[in-house]
Amino acid sequence: MRILKKSGIAVAVIGLFLAFTVFFSGCGTENGKRIVRISHAQSETHPEHLGLLKFKEYIEENLGDKYEVQIYPNELLGGAQKAIELTQTGAIDFVVAGTANLENFADVYEVFSMPYLFTSEEAYHEVMNDTAYMEQVYVSTDEAGFRVMTWYNAGTRSFYAKKPIETPEDLSGLKMRVQQSPASVNMCNAFGAAASPMSFGEVYTAIQQGVIDGAENNELALTNNKHGEVAKYYSYNKHQMVPDMLIGNLKFLEGLSEEEYEIFREAALLSTEEEMKYWDEQVEEAKQIAENEMGVTFIDVDVQLFKNKVSDVQQEMLDANESIRGLYEHIQEVNAKYIGNE
Ligand code: GCU
């Protein structure tokens, strides 16, 4: 524990230093090259980091005389909200953040926080891999000064806690961390829990210190982010598939020549392909490690009971936010193709 604490402090100090340097140097040039900075919240073994290495490789292979890509993992430059702000102002160029964090900039992204939106993984992947369709959605944050370039799979989210959750009733009264998004707060409260929004990096300590009882995420959070050390029960209620997005500062993107923009776009798509290659195997690995080395119990629950508990939420969200309707209906059409794969 002492080691963990010490390394936590070291990470925070390095992070502060980097944030300071990045902030004051702006988007610098080094050795005549424009430094392209990317921030993300995951560890260096996470599929997203591996995808971003591909992004870096492709850019530097094709435009290496002009650009050098630097990747900052582990929220070193700040949590998602902070890093999005840095991308908005152009202090950094790209950030990877979940759609939950984009809701305050473009409310169409609320749709992904709907519980049980996608009825199968196949439908989820088909919708997200339909680049021509999604690019119409990706421009919706242009006014806020940034644009989504591509998506990354962030798996299926389920609840995990210090106590076993077998039915929705077990959630009643539990304080559960959700992402900092109004729709995620509503969803969690609809399950009967007390939603506690906070940034990803704060979750470990909050569970450890008993500030919250648990959280909800994909399996990698147990291992990559060590949450399995402090929360020993993971319940497969599978309430959301929330994608992560690679977001770029709009001025930077618009300042690229057409050819350069095309290379950045190709690099983004390649990074998604690369990330997806690792996802399933890393989830399997995370389950093994969590179960065998961390003592986490995985619980298969009756998902239908959880669905019933939040069955009104989709309609309520549609009634409250007209801008999600088009994408919602599109997703329903794709869902229908995969009926039986749930
Ligand atoms: C996942 C997701 C992140 C997100 C995090 C969270 O790890 O990939 O983008 O920030 O969950 O719950 O905050």
Side-chain angles (χ1 to χ4, degrees):
M1 224 13 43
R2 286 256 305 277
I3 294 173
L4 201 96
K5 253 196 184 153
K6 272 194 191 153
S7 67
I9 292 168
V11 165
V13 171
I14 297 169
L16 263 178
F17 173 74
L18 284 174
F20 189 82
T21 321
V22 164
F23 191 76
F24 285 101
S25 63
C27 292
T29 355
E30 276 172 34
N31 304 325
K33 289 185 192 178
R34 168 69 160 79
I35 305 299
V36 176
R37 294 193 175 94
I38 311 179
S39 165
H40 72 86
Q42 312 292 353
S43 74
E44 281 152 288
T45 55
H46 189 280
E48 284 179 358
H49 190 83
L50 304 177
L52 289 169
L53 287 176
K54 190 76 186 171
F55 181 84
K56 172 181 166 68
E57 184 188 302
Y58 191 76
I59 302 282
E60 291 178 356
E61 238 169 52
N62 289 282
L63 300 169
D65 51 336
K66 208 168 157 192
Y67 297 98
E68 181 184 321
V69 177
Q70 294 179 355
I71 306 168
Y72 295 87
N74 295 314
E75 292 192 350
L76 280 174
L77 300 182
Q81 297 282 344
K82 180 80 209 152
I84 291 172
E85 281 167 28
L86 291 175
T87 310
Q88 253 188 314
T89 61
I92 60 175
D93 307 289
F94 293 94
V95 57
V96 178
T99 50
N101 294 292
L102 301 182
E103 289 171 18
N104 290 329
F105 300 99
D107 58 5
V108 59
Y109 286 111
E110 271 187 17
V111 78
F112 295 107
S113 295
M114 273 185 175
Y116 302 106
L117 171 67
F118 294 102
T119 52
S120 65
E121 259 181 49
E122 287 87 346
Y124 171 48
H125 292 190
E126 180 170 324
V127 168
M128 299 310 297
N129 280 328
D130 183 350
T131 309
Y133 185 93
M134 286 310 296
E135 278 179 350
Q136 305 166 55
V137 178
Y138 292 167
V139 294
S140 60
T141 51
D142 277 12
E143 259 175 58
F146 58 86
R147 178 178 293 172
V148 172
M149 298 292 285
T150 189
W151 76 291
Y152 297 124
N153 186 14
T156 304
R157 298 176 79 94
S158 289
F159 288 109
Y160 54 96
K162 291 186 158 184
K163 299 193 251 178
I165 296 160
E166 313 262 1
T167 66
E169 283 62 48
D170 294 330
L171 279 166
S172 164
L174 291 192
K175 268 189 138 181
M176 302 298 276
R177 179 270 176 172
V178 291
Q179 299 192 73
Q180 291 155 299
S181 102
S184 298
V185 169
N186 288 344
M187 175 217 62
C188 186
N189 291 338
F191 272 118
S196 180
M198 67 181 73
S199 80
F200 195 33
E202 291 175 80
V203 179
Y204 180 97
T205 315
I207 300 178
Q208 188 185 37
Q209 297 183 344
V211 176
I212 50 175
D213 298 293
E216 47 81 50
N217 216 315
N218 60 60
E219 298 88 335
L220 300 192
L222 299 172
T223 52
N224 278 47
N225 309 91
K226 303 193 168 58
H227 296 179
E229 287 180 359
V230 289
K232 299 294 182 191
Y233 298 94
Y234 188 99
S235 301
Y236 273 116
N237 70 296
K238 304 182 179 174
H239 54 268
Q240 284 172 333
M241 296 176 195
V242 179
D244 280 339
M245 299 300 201
L246 175 66
I247 297 155
N249 172 273
L250 192 62
K251 263 201 198 136
F252 171 74
L253 294 171
E254 287 181 342
L256 299 171
S257 70
E258 230 172 85
E259 295 74 30
E260 287 175 347
Y261 184 81
E262 199 41 38
I263 287 173
F264 272 81
R265 206 174 149 265
E266 282 162 12
L269 296 178
L270 281 174
S271 71
T272 300
E273 265 177 37
E274 185 76 2
E275 192 252 2
M276 301 275 290
K277 274 190 211 159
Y278 296 102
W279 187 266
D280 289 345
E281 89 193 35
Q282 283 214 15
V283 165
E284 271 318 302
E285 220 175 77
K287 276 158 78 173
Q288 296 303 327
I289 295 171
E291 197 162 40
N292 302 328
E293 294 172 27
M294 301 172 115
V296 173
T297 303
F298 288 91
I299 306 171
D300 276 319
V301 299
D302 182 347
V303 174
Q304 192 57 46
L305 294 179
F306 286 82
K307 282 189 183 164
N308 295 346
K309 184 81 184 178
V310 293
S311 58
D312 296 335
V313 176
Q314 292 197 359
Q315 192 54 50
E316 284 164 11
M317 287 177 70
L318 284 165
D319 292 343
N321 178 3
E322 194 47 40
S323 46
I324 60 178
R325 188 171 295 276
L327 181 51
Y328 176 81
E329 283 169 0
H330 171 71
I331 291 169
Q332 295 314 317
E333 280 166 25
V334 181
N335 277 341
K337 290 202 218 167
Y338 295 98
I339 286 180
N341 292 23
E342 298 88 357

